[in-house]
Amino acid sequence: MKKYTDQGKKDTRSGFGAGMTELGRTNPKVVSLCADLVGSLKLDEFIEENPDRFFQVGIAEANMMGIAAGLTIGGYIPFTGTFANFSTGRVYDQIRQSIAYSGKNVKICASHAGLTLGEDGATHQILEDIGLMKMLPGMTVINTCDFNQTKAATLAIAEHEGPVYLRFGRPKVPNFTDPQQDFHIGKAVMLNEGKDVTIIATGHLVWEALQAAEALEQEGISAEVINIHTIKPLDEEAILASVRKTGCVVTCEEHNFLGGLGESVARTLTLHHPAPQEFVATRDTFGESGTSDQLMEKYGLDNKAIKEAVLQVLKRKA
């Protein structure tokens, strides 16, 4: 299989910060809003270079969404920034009514998603945000896998007309995608071609999927690995083409198996090509406090869990 090299661990939130710095220099319509988490969102350089295009809203996330919606009326492209939990659950009504309902061009940028913000515990973690956001009509939902892809996605969504939810994380993870990549919203990325099983992963679990595929190769199992960075709109064509070839699929996400990527894939297969599927995701549970590595292992979100899911789904192939 194709080998991917860890170029050095970086946090995806820093990829967002790098993208915002570049947008600050190249797109005068881009403005930034933050709910008292500038350091966590890596916005310092953007603010230093563009102080007149930054709005510190404080711990008032609902107000931030309303301000962002209003800024679009003046032709600006607002990027909001706070933790994923506060970007969605805390402000869902404001997003639904003020942004999604009228199709406002707001980019909702959410750091510290999933379990891997770690020690802050269940009250700050969120494992249902993808489901919340993908159910909103017209909302684009993106979940990036590394620093380079997060930067590329940040640049791409500025050119996309309409509301976007961009999800990324806190910990440093392997940075392995092309630093000069073109990011195409709604288009899956084929990372490795295989014939026995399809592994579809998003976010931090993309690297874990590649590690699982390498381990499976040692056992004579050929795994196709697809990076689904855009959960909505979903690249159904790429998914169906792969599963028609391999006959089974494992979906991998740092999210509840209810409402996430796996459910979207399952719906696609049910409608067009039923096939065995296993889910690597949390199972209708909240998280808890711990290091990111401890939590990913406990909740079955690492490469070992992906490998085991592949072995299970292979037993179900016709």
Side-chain angles (χ1 to χ4, degrees), residues 76-97:
Y76 292 103
I77 306 172
F79 282 65
T80 68
T82 185
F83 287 7
N85 195 9
F86 310 141
S87 290
T88 56
R90 179 173 288 182
V91 295
Y92 195 70
D93 182 60
Q94 283 73 24
I95 293 173
R96 184 184 189 276
Q97 303 294 67

Side-chain angles (χ1 to χ4, degrees), residues 175-195:
N175 189 36
F176 63 96
T177 66
D178 184 353
Q180 303 302 321
Q181 66 191 276
D182 293 323
F183 188 92
H184 299 287
I185 294 172
K187 293 297 181 182
V189 180
M190 177 68 72
L191 296 178
N192 186 68
E193 294 190 12
K195 61 182 177 61

Side-chain angles (χ1 to χ4, degrees), residues 13 83 112-126 170-172 254 287-296 299:
R13 57 182 171 146
F83 287 7
H112 292 57
L115 286 172
T116 48
L117 67 102
E119 293 86 346
D120 287 345
T123 59
H124 282 51
Q125 297 160 359
I126 190 164
R170 172 189 182 182
K172 292 183 177 180
E254 188 185 345
E288 60 187 297
S289 182
T291 68
S292 60
D293 288 342
Q294 288 171 335
L295 294 171
M296 294 290 270
Y299 288 88

Side-chain angles (χ1 to χ4, degrees), residues 209-222:
L210 289 170
Q211 301 311 296
E214 285 193 20
L216 288 162
E217 185 181 39
Q218 300 303 313
E219 299 184 15
I221 298 170
S222 172

